[in-house]
Amino acid sequence: GLTGLIAPAVNGFILALLATSGTAAIAAYGVASRVEGLVFVILMGLATGMGPVLGQNWGAGQYERVHKTLKKAFGFVAVWSVIVAVILGIGATQIAGIFSDNQDVIMITAAYFMIVPFTYVLGNLSNGWSSAFHALGLPIHGLGVVIVKNIILTIPLAWLGATYYGYAGIFAALAAVNVVTGIGCHVWGRRVTHHRAAANKTP
């Protein structure tokens, strides 16, 4: 429940920060968020389908299957994230223009698409590990990922970015959070799963 509540609450905080840059910034963030929701539906489906596979094999002690499933899943996440980032980056202005004819909204939406998407490959790793931890019976770990990403990092960095650089600073902060949490969660997740698997194999 907490995991599901934190992200929307932080999103509301980001919208409040964007409000200081005007209504165009809020509209642009709304466009970007909806585009992200559309292109990442496939990753949400992957996370949902991956859960039972991970949970069943983890419970059965088939740790190699767990590691292979995670490797293949994260490999797909990486490829899909790169494809999306390239498309959004190259077609930033054109894609933004589909949703609005307001030049300020288009400009700010395009700025988002040229800053944040190129960190999707890492940002989606942290999201993937959060889902994986829940599937492996480690909900506190999954909650920890969400708290670190959204509360400990996103809130202060977004506030700093908004204070000094406006909407561009907020977008840069979101990108930075993706990089830090993506790398950190992947290293941590691999250590946790390998360590626990080794411990469970010990007679």
Side-chain angles (χ1 to χ4, degrees):
L2 286 173
T3 302
L5 287 172
I6 290 173
V10 173
N11 193 57
F13 175 77
I14 292 173
L15 285 172
L17 292 177
L18 286 169
T20 61
S21 296
T23 56
I26 296 176
Y29 184 69
V31 170
S33 297
R34 282 159 180 75
V35 171
E36 286 181 339
L38 177 64
V39 297
F40 289 136
V41 164
I42 190 170
L43 298 188
M44 294 173 62
L46 174 64
T48 301
M50 183 176 66
V53 177
L54 291 176
Q56 183 181 31
N57 283 289
W58 187 263
Q62 299 293 331
Y63 304 117
E64 285 303 314
R65 290 183 181 177
V66 171
H67 298 320
K68 288 180 180 179
T69 299
L70 288 171
K71 183 177 180 180
K72 290 181 179 179
F74 288 137
F76 178 81
V77 168
V79 171
W80 185 258
S81 297
V82 169
I83 291 173
V84 169
V86 171
I87 293 174
L88 293 181
I90 293 175
T93 302
Q94 292 79 4
I95 294 172
I98 295 173
F99 298 91
S100 176
D101 56 5
N102 183 296
Q103 291 304 309
D104 288 336
V105 173
I106 293 174
M107 178 187 68
I108 298 173
T109 304
Y112 183 97
F113 287 153
M114 288 187 286
I115 295 174
V116 179
F118 291 98
T119 63
Y120 282 160
V121 67
L122 292 172
N124 285 325
L125 281 178
S126 60
N127 296 334
W129 274 111
S130 179
S131 299
F133 282 139
H134 285 285
L136 298 174
L138 301 169
I140 299 301
H141 289 65
L143 177 61
V145 171
V146 174
I147 289 175
V148 170
K149 181 174 184 177
N150 290 279
I151 296 179
I152 296 177
L153 293 177
T154 298
I155 288 179
L157 290 180
W159 179 80
L160 286 172
T163 300
Y164 293 102
Y165 301 104
Y167 66 83
I170 296 174
F171 299 160
L174 295 177
V177 170
N178 280 343
V179 172
V180 173
T181 57
I183 295 173
C185 286
H186 195 57
V187 172
W188 182 47
R190 285 174 57 84
R191 286 182 178 178
V192 168
T193 52
H194 282 84
H195 175 75
R196 287 182 176 255
N200 289 340
K201 287 180 180 179
T202 304

PDB file of all heavy atoms in Angstrom, residues 79-106:
ATOM      1  N   VAL A  79      16.716  -2.863 -23.767  1.00  0.00           N
ATOM      2  CA  VAL A  79      16.541  -2.675 -25.211  1.00  0.00           C
ATOM      3  C   VAL A  79      15.323  -1.796 -25.490  1.00  0.00           C
ATOM      4  O   VAL A  79      15.399  -0.851 -26.283  1.00  0.00           O
ATOM      5  CB  VAL A  79      16.382  -4.031 -25.924  1.00  0.00           C
ATOM      6  CG1 VAL A  79      15.989  -3.828 -27.390  1.00  0.00           C
ATOM      7  CG2 VAL A  79      17.680  -4.827 -25.844  1.00  0.00           C
ATOM      8  N   TRP A  80      14.210  -2.092 -24.825  1.00  0.00           N
ATOM      9  CA  TRP A  80      12.988  -1.316 -25.040  1.00  0.00           C
ATOM     10  C   TRP A  80      13.185   0.144 -24.614  1.00  0.00           C
ATOM     11  O   TRP A  80      12.734   1.061 -25.293  1.00  0.00           O
ATOM     12  CB  TRP A  80      11.835  -1.941 -24.268  1.00  0.00           C
ATOM     13  CG  TRP A  80      10.508  -1.274 -24.522  1.00  0.00           C
ATOM     14  CD1 TRP A  80       9.849  -0.394 -23.721  1.00  0.00           C
ATOM     15  CD2 TRP A  80       9.695  -1.416 -25.691  1.00  0.00           C
ATOM     16  NE1 TRP A  80       8.674   0.013 -24.289  1.00  0.00           N
ATOM     17  CE2 TRP A  80       8.557  -0.596 -25.512  1.00  0.00           C
ATOM     18  CE3 TRP A  80       9.811  -2.168 -26.863  1.00  0.00           C
ATOM     19  CZ2 TRP A  80       7.538  -0.510 -26.457  1.00  0.00           C
ATOM     20  CZ3 TRP A  80       8.799  -2.071 -27.816  1.00  0.00           C
ATOM     21  CH2 TRP A  80       7.685  -1.250 -27.602  1.00  0.00           C
ATOM     22  N   SER A  81      13.866   0.351 -23.498  1.00  0.00           N
ATOM     23  CA  SER A  81      14.094   1.701 -22.993  1.00  0.00           C
ATOM     24  C   SER A  81      14.947   2.518 -23.955  1.00  0.00           C
ATOM     25  O   SER A  81      14.698   3.713 -24.160  1.00  0.00           O
ATOM     26  CB  SER A  81      14.771   1.647 -21.616  1.00  0.00           C
ATOM     27  OG  SER A  81      13.945   1.009 -20.663  1.00  0.00           O
ATOM     28  N   VAL A  82      15.952   1.885 -24.539  1.00  0.00           N
ATOM     29  CA  VAL A  82      16.816   2.583 -25.491  1.00  0.00           C
ATOM     30  C   VAL A  82      16.033   2.951 -26.750  1.00  0.00           C
ATOM     31  O   VAL A  82      16.150   4.072 -27.268  1.00  0.00           O
ATOM     32  CB  VAL A  82      18.035   1.710 -25.861  1.00  0.00           C
ATOM     33  CG1 VAL A  82      18.792   2.316 -27.046  1.00  0.00           C
ATOM     34  CG2 VAL A  82      18.967   1.575 -24.661  1.00  0.00           C
ATOM     35  N   ILE A  83      15.214   2.017 -27.247  1.00  0.00           N
ATOM     36  CA  ILE A  83      14.415   2.281 -28.443  1.00  0.00           C
ATOM     37  C   ILE A  83      13.478   3.471 -28.207  1.00  0.00           C
ATOM     38  O   ILE A  83      13.383   4.395 -29.028  1.00  0.00           O
ATOM     39  CB  ILE A  83      13.596   1.038 -28.842  1.00  0.00           C
ATOM     40  CG1 ILE A  83      14.530  -0.064 -29.348  1.00  0.00           C
ATOM     41  CG2 ILE A  83      12.564   1.389 -29.916  1.00  0.00           C
ATOM     42  CD1 ILE A  83      13.833  -1.394 -29.599  1.00  0.00           C
ATOM     43  N   VAL A  84      12.796   3.447 -27.061  1.00  0.00           N
ATOM     44  CA  VAL A  84      11.873   4.531 -26.719  1.00  0.00           C
ATOM     45  C   VAL A  84      12.615   5.858 -26.596  1.00  0.00           C
ATOM     46  O   VAL A  84      12.156   6.896 -27.093  1.00  0.00           O
ATOM     47  CB  VAL A  84      11.127   4.212 -25.404  1.00  0.00           C
ATOM     48  CG1 VAL A  84      10.375   5.439 -24.894  1.00  0.00           C
ATOM     49  CG2 VAL A  84      10.164   3.049 -25.603  1.00  0.00           C
ATOM     50  N   ALA A  85      13.763   5.828 -25.943  1.00  0.00           N
ATOM     51  CA  ALA A  85      14.542   7.054 -25.746  1.00  0.00           C
ATOM     52  C   ALA A  85      14.968   7.665 -27.072  1.00  0.00           C
ATOM     53  O   ALA A  85      14.892   8.891 -27.264  1.00  0.00           O
ATOM     54  CB  ALA A  85      15.769   6.759 -24.885  1.00  0.00           C
ATOM     55  N   VAL A  86      15.412   6.834 -27.991  1.00  0.00           N
ATOM     56  CA  VAL A  86      15.849   7.321 -29.300  1.00  0.00           C
ATOM     57  C   VAL A  86      14.679   7.941 -30.059  1.00  0.00           C
ATOM     58  O   VAL A  86      14.795   9.028 -30.648  1.00  0.00           O
ATOM     59  CB  VAL A  86      16.488   6.184 -30.123  1.00  0.00           C
ATOM     60  CG1 VAL A  86      16.731   6.639 -31.561  1.00  0.00           C
ATOM     61  CG2 VAL A  86      17.796   5.738 -29.478  1.00  0.00           C
ATOM     62  N   ILE A  87      13.540   7.253 -30.049  1.00  0.00           N
ATOM     63  CA  ILE A  87      12.359   7.761 -30.763  1.00  0.00           C
ATOM     64  C   ILE A  87      11.896   9.085 -30.175  1.00  0.00           C
ATOM     65  O   ILE A  87      11.619  10.050 -30.906  1.00  0.00           O
ATOM     66  CB  ILE A  87      11.213   6.733 -30.716  1.00  0.00           C
ATOM     67  CG1 ILE A  87      11.593   5.487 -31.528  1.00  0.00           C
ATOM     68  CG2 ILE A  87       9.915   7.336 -31.245  1.00  0.00           C
ATOM     69  CD1 ILE A  87      10.596   4.351 -31.420  1.00  0.00           C
ATOM     70  N   LEU A  88      11.809   9.153 -28.854  1.00  0.00           N
ATOM     71  CA  LEU A  88      11.357  10.387 -28.211  1.00  0.00           C
ATOM     72  C   LEU A  88      12.367  11.523 -28.386  1.00  0.00           C
ATOM     73  O   LEU A  88      11.990  12.685 -28.550  1.00  0.00           O
ATOM     74  CB  LEU A  88      11.100  10.149 -26.716  1.00  0.00           C
ATOM     75  CG  LEU A  88       9.931   9.220 -26.367  1.00  0.00           C
ATOM     76  CD1 LEU A  88       9.791   9.092 -24.854  1.00  0.00           C
ATOM     77  CD2 LEU A  88       8.633   9.738 -26.973  1.00  0.00           C
ATOM     78  N   GLY A  89      13.646  11.175 -28.340  1.00  0.00           N
ATOM     79  CA  GLY A  89      14.670  12.202 -28.499  1.00  0.00           C
ATOM     80  C   GLY A  89      14.685  12.790 -29.898  1.00  0.00           C
ATOM     81  O   GLY A  89      14.725  14.008 -30.086  1.00  0.00           O
ATOM     82  N   ILE A  90      14.628  11.905 -30.901  1.00  0.00           N
ATOM     83  CA  ILE A  90      14.678  12.368 -32.292  1.00  0.00           C
ATOM     84  C   ILE A  90      13.393  13.109 -32.676  1.00  0.00           C
ATOM     85  O   ILE A  90      13.428  14.143 -33.348  1.00  0.00           O
ATOM     86  CB  ILE A  90      14.895  11.175 -33.248  1.00  0.00           C
ATOM     87  CG1 ILE A  90      16.300  10.586 -33.035  1.00  0.00           C
ATOM     88  CG2 ILE A  90      14.713  11.610 -34.700  1.00  0.00           C
ATOM     89  CD1 ILE A  90      16.580   9.347 -33.840  1.00  0.00           C
ATOM     90  N   GLY A  91      12.272  12.582 -32.234  1.00  0.00           N
ATOM     91  CA  GLY A  91      10.992  13.179 -32.615  1.00  0.00           C
ATOM     92  C   GLY A  91      10.361  14.020 -31.531  1.00  0.00           C
ATOM     93  O   GLY A  91       9.132  14.173 -31.494  1.00  0.00           O
ATOM     94  N   ALA A  92      11.171  14.575 -30.644  1.00  0.00           N
ATOM     95  CA  ALA A  92      10.658  15.298 -29.474  1.00  0.00           C
ATOM     96  C   ALA A  92       9.638  16.373 -29.836  1.00  0.00           C
ATOM     97  O   ALA A  92       8.519  16.398 -29.330  1.00  0.00           O
ATOM     98  CB  ALA A  92      11.820  15.916 -28.699  1.00  0.00           C
ATOM     99  N   THR A  93      10.012  17.270 -30.730  1.00  0.00           N
ATOM    100  CA  THR A  93       9.128  18.390 -31.087  1.00  0.00           C
ATOM    101  C   THR A  93       7.888  17.902 -31.827  1.00  0.00           C
ATOM    102  O   THR A  93       6.768  18.352 -31.560  1.00  0.00           O
ATOM    103  CB  THR A  93       9.877  19.404 -31.960  1.00  0.00           C
ATOM    104  OG1 THR A  93      11.028  19.873 -31.238  1.00  0.00           O
ATOM    105  CG2 THR A  93       8.983  20.580 -32.309  1.00  0.00           C
ATOM    106  N   GLN A  94       8.085  16.954 -32.751  1.00  0.00           N
ATOM    107  CA  GLN A  94       6.957  16.447 -33.535  1.00  0.00           C
ATOM    108  C   GLN A  94       5.953  15.709 -32.651  1.00  0.00           C
ATOM    109  O   GLN A  94       4.735  15.863 -32.800  1.00  0.00           O
ATOM    110  CB  GLN A  94       7.459  15.519 -34.643  1.00  0.00           C
ATOM    111  CG  GLN A  94       8.243  16.209 -35.739  1.00  0.00           C
ATOM    112  CD  GLN A  94       9.685  16.501 -35.342  1.00  0.00           C
ATOM    113  OE1 GLN A  94      10.135  16.121 -34.268  1.00  0.00           O
ATOM    114  NE2 GLN A  94      10.397  17.188 -36.229  1.00  0.00           N
ATOM    115  N   ILE A  95       6.462  14.896 -31.734  1.00  0.00           N
ATOM    116  CA  ILE A  95       5.572  14.152 -30.841  1.00  0.00           C
ATOM    117  C   ILE A  95       4.833  15.110 -29.916  1.00  0.00           C
ATOM    118  O   ILE A  95       3.626  14.957 -29.680  1.00  0.00           O
ATOM    119  CB  ILE A  95       6.383  13.126 -30.021  1.00  0.00           C
ATOM    120  CG1 ILE A  95       6.955  12.049 -30.950  1.00  0.00           C
ATOM    121  CG2 ILE A  95       5.503  12.478 -28.952  1.00  0.00           C
ATOM    122  CD1 ILE A  95       7.922  11.109 -30.282  1.00  0.00           C
ATOM    123  N   ALA A  96       5.522  16.102 -29.397  1.00  0.00           N
ATOM    124  CA  ALA A  96       4.879  17.086 -28.528  1.00  0.00           C
ATOM    125  C   ALA A  96       3.786  17.829 -29.274  1.00  0.00           C
ATOM    126  O   ALA A  96       2.728  18.157 -28.710  1.00  0.00           O
ATOM    127  CB  ALA A  96       5.920  18.065 -27.995  1.00  0.00           C
ATOM    128  N   GLY A  97       4.025  18.091 -30.567  1.00  0.00           N
ATOM    129  CA  GLY A  97       3.058  18.823 -31.372  1.00  0.00           C
ATOM    130  C   GLY A  97       1.768  18.063 -31.618  1.00  0.00           C
ATOM    131  O   GLY A  97       0.753  18.672 -31.976  1.00  0.00           O
ATOM    132  N   ILE A  98       1.789  16.756 -31.429  1.00  0.00           N
ATOM    133  CA  ILE A  98       0.575  15.954 -31.595  1.00  0.00           C
ATOM    134  C   ILE A  98      -0.445  16.296 -30.512  1.00  0.00           C
ATOM    135  O   ILE A  98      -1.658  16.264 -30.740  1.00  0.00           O
ATOM    136  CB  ILE A  98       0.909  14.445 -31.538  1.00  0.00           C
ATOM    137  CG1 ILE A  98       1.803  14.053 -32.724  1.00  0.00           C
ATOM    138  CG2 ILE A  98      -0.364  13.602 -31.527  1.00  0.00           C
ATOM    139  CD1 ILE A  98       2.314  12.630 -32.654  1.00  0.00           C
ATOM    140  N   PHE A  99       0.051  16.656 -29.337  1.00  0.00           N
ATOM    141  CA  PHE A  99      -0.817  16.850 -28.180  1.00  0.00           C
ATOM    142  C   PHE A  99      -1.199  18.304 -27.928  1.00  0.00           C
ATOM    143  O   PHE A  99      -2.135  18.575 -27.179  1.00  0.00           O
ATOM    144  CB  PHE A  99      -0.129  16.289 -26.924  1.00  0.00           C
ATOM    145  CG  PHE A  99       0.140  14.823 -27.002  1.00  0.00           C
ATOM    146  CD1 PHE A  99       1.352  14.352 -27.502  1.00  0.00           C
ATOM    147  CD2 PHE A  99      -0.809  13.909 -26.594  1.00  0.00           C
ATOM    148  CE1 PHE A  99       1.603  12.995 -27.577  1.00  0.00           C
ATOM    149  CE2 PHE A  99      -0.559  12.543 -26.673  1.00  0.00           C
ATOM    150  CZ  PHE A  99       0.647  12.085 -27.173  1.00  0.00           C
ATOM    151  N   SER A 100      -0.477  19.242 -28.528  1.00  0.00           N
ATOM    152  CA  SER A 100      -0.770  20.657 -28.279  1.00  0.00           C
ATOM    153  C   SER A 100      -0.234  21.509 -29.418  1.00  0.00           C
ATOM    154  O   SER A 100       0.769  21.152 -30.056  1.00  0.00           O
ATOM    155  CB  SER A 100      -0.133  21.106 -26.960  1.00  0.00           C
ATOM    156  OG  SER A 100      -0.318  22.482 -26.737  1.00  0.00           O
ATOM    157  N   ASP A 101      -0.924  22.625 -29.663  1.00  0.00           N
ATOM    158  CA  ASP A 101      -0.421  23.586 -30.647  1.00  0.00           C
ATOM    159  C   ASP A 101       0.145  24.831 -29.971  1.00  0.00           C
ATOM    160  O   ASP A 101       0.531  25.795 -30.636  1.00  0.00           O
ATOM    161  CB  ASP A 101      -1.526  23.976 -31.625  1.00  0.00           C
ATOM    162  CG  ASP A 101      -2.762  24.523 -30.922  1.00  0.00           C
ATOM    163  OD1 ASP A 101      -2.722  24.686 -29.692  1.00  0.00           O
ATOM    164  OD2 ASP A 101      -3.768  24.781 -31.619  1.00  0.00           O
ATOM    165  N   ASN A 102       0.196  24.781 -28.629  1.00  0.00           N
ATOM    166  CA  ASN A 102       0.792  25.873 -27.865  1.00  0.00           C
ATOM    167  C   ASN A 102       2.314  25.725 -27.914  1.00  0.00           C
ATOM    168  O   ASN A 102       2.860  24.699 -27.495  1.00  0.00           O
ATOM    169  CB  ASN A 102       0.290  25.826 -26.420  1.00  0.00           C
ATOM    170  CG  ASN A 102       0.822  26.974 -25.578  1.00  0.00           C
ATOM    171  OD1 ASN A 102       2.022  27.084 -25.342  1.00  0.00           O
ATOM    172  ND2 ASN A 102      -0.074  27.820 -25.108  1.00  0.00           N
ATOM    173  N   GLN A 103       2.991  26.741 -28.407  1.00  0.00           N
ATOM    174  CA  GLN A 103       4.432  26.647 -28.612  1.00  0.00           C
ATOM    175  C   GLN A 103       5.213  26.474 -27.309  1.00  0.00           C
ATOM    176  O   GLN A 103       6.241  25.784 -27.278  1.00  0.00           O
ATOM    177  CB  GLN A 103       4.940  27.884 -29.359  1.00  0.00           C
ATOM    178  CG  GLN A 103       4.480  27.943 -30.808  1.00  0.00           C
ATOM    179  CD  GLN A 103       4.879  26.690 -31.578  1.00  0.00           C
ATOM    180  OE1 GLN A 103       6.044  26.270 -31.573  1.00  0.00           O
ATOM    181  NE2 GLN A 103       3.911  26.088 -32.257  1.00  0.00           N
ATOM    182  N   ASP A 104       4.729  27.077 -26.221  1.00  0.00           N
ATOM    183  CA  ASP A 104       5.413  26.913 -24.940  1.00  0.00           C
ATOM    184  C   ASP A 104       5.301  25.476 -24.442  1.00  0.00           C
ATOM    185  O   ASP A 104       6.274  24.900 -23.940  1.00  0.00           O
ATOM    186  CB  ASP A 104       4.815  27.868 -23.898  1.00  0.00           C
ATOM    187  CG  ASP A 104       5.187  29.319 -24.157  1.00  0.00           C
ATOM    188  OD1 ASP A 104       6.229  29.544 -24.811  1.00  0.00           O
ATOM    189  OD2 ASP A 104       4.444  30.202 -23.721  1.00  0.00           O
ATOM    190  N   VAL A 105       4.117  24.907 -24.597  1.00  0.00           N
ATOM    191  CA  VAL A 105       3.909  23.515 -24.176  1.00  0.00           C
ATOM    192  C   VAL A 105       4.772  22.584 -25.008  1.00  0.00           C
ATOM    193  O   VAL A 105       5.412  21.662 -24.484  1.00  0.00           O
ATOM    194  CB  VAL A 105       2.418  23.124 -24.296  1.00  0.00           C
ATOM    195  CG1 VAL A 105       2.238  21.627 -24.016  1.00  0.00           C
ATOM    196  CG2 VAL A 105       1.563  23.946 -23.346  1.00  0.00           C
ATOM    197  N   ILE A 106       4.805  22.815 -26.314  1.00  0.00           N
ATOM    198  CA  ILE A 106       5.624  21.987 -27.204  1.00  0.00           C
ATOM    199  C   ILE A 106       7.099  22.085 -26.835  1.00  0.00           C
ATOM    200  O   ILE A 106       7.803  21.077 -26.764  1.00  0.00           O
ATOM    201  CB  ILE A 106       5.418  22.410 -28.680  1.00  0.00           C
ATOM    202  CG1 ILE A 106       3.989  22.079 -29.128  1.00  0.00           C
ATOM    203  CG2 ILE A 106       6.440  21.722 -29.586  1.00  0.00           C
ATOM    204  CD1 ILE A 106       3.644  22.594 -30.516  1.00  0.00           C
TER     205      ILE A 106
END
